[in-house]
Amino acid sequence: GYTGGDCSQRSCPHGLTWFGYPSSNNVAHDMMVECSNMGTCLRARGECICNDGFFGSACEYMGCSGDDASQTSCHGNGKCLSLRELALNHKNGDGTLLPIHYGSDANEPSTWDADRIFGCECDDGYGGFDCTLMTCPNGVDPLVSTDLYSCSNKGLCDHSTGLCKCFAGWGSSDGSGSYGPKNDCGRRQSLRGYP
């Protein structure tokens, strides 16, 4: 379409607004506006130039972090998925799939962003919002609980190498508190002069 006083300028694609005043209680993001209020309309061609972090013909999507805002980012160490997809792939602390049905009710105003905001689901061995951090082994903190913690809560993770730097008195275990190759800081070591 065309716009302007003499109809000489191209109009740009419209999408649901990212920001605006609510139209009533619990109703927002429901107005169609040019470039979704997250881009500038290039009138000569009728194309949206999206702000950093947004993509789509009407800038209607907030992309993953990384080299670009499209669905191909996550630095090659993961997949860029919508909030709905991320929720369906949710795993609990031990890695068991525990899906959450985010955005499944079209009448739920708090999940308006289910298919509009994207985030990284990192491959095994990587973490962080953009999958640039290497993860360290998880292990049970032998003094506290049976929950899994990075470096068994007894060391610090070096995210550049994916290796735990264990605190004094702690070393690699088998995952059950005995000596083993996990490099998870889950085994109490004997220190000279101490029991």
Side-chain angles (χ1 to χ4, degrees):
Y2 290 87
T3 188
D6 61 357
C7 298
S8 64
Q9 297 176 329
R10 298 285 307 266
S11 59
C12 282
H14 286 62
L16 292 171
T17 184
W18 281 98
F19 300 101
Y21 292 104
S23 56
S24 64
N25 288 341
N26 294 320
V27 178
H29 310 285
D30 62 336
M31 294 175 48
M32 297 294 283
V33 296
E34 220 171 39
C35 303
S36 305
N37 280 350
M38 271 298 137
T40 304
C41 181
L42 188 60
R43 297 269 176 226
R45 296 195 318 230
E47 294 177 3
C48 293
I49 305 299
C50 298
N51 294 347
D52 287 344
F54 293 84
F55 71 101
S57 63
C59 307
E60 68 270 35
Y61 303 111
M62 181 186 293
C64 289
S65 297
D67 300 326
D68 60 61
S70 72
Q71 288 183 277
T72 60
S73 53
C74 302
H75 294 278
N77 300 322
K79 295 180 288 191
C80 185
L81 302 173
S82 70
L83 290 182
R84 179 189 311 269
E85 294 167 316
L86 288 169
L88 288 173
N89 293 344
H90 176 259
K91 296 177 182 175
N92 66 9
D94 67 4
T96 304
L97 188 63
L98 188 64
I100 298 171
H101 298 281
Y102 185 83
S104 59
D105 181 355
N107 296 314
E108 175 55 54
S110 65
T111 60
W112 65 272
D113 53 1
D115 296 311
R116 295 186 65 196
I117 296 179
F118 289 74
C120 291
E121 180 180 74
C122 300
D123 296 336
D124 286 342
Y126 291 91
F129 72 96
D130 60 357
C131 301
T132 57
L133 303 176
M134 293 182 75
T135 58
C136 288
N138 288 331
V140 173
D141 182 339
L143 300 180
V144 178
S145 71
T146 58
D147 293 336
L148 295 173
Y149 297 94
S150 179
C151 301
S152 303
N153 230 14
K154 300 298 178 208
L156 298 176
C157 181
D158 181 345
H159 291 291
S160 65
T161 63
L163 298 174
C164 293
K165 293 182 179 180
C166 300
F167 300 144
W170 296 94
S172 185
S173 85
D174 63 356
S176 300
S178 298
Y179 177 76
K182 284 190 68 173
N183 186 35
D184 63 352
C185 305
R187 180 179 65 89
R188 182 183 282 284
Q189 296 176 325
S190 298
L191 296 176
R192 185 176 292 164
Y194 295 93

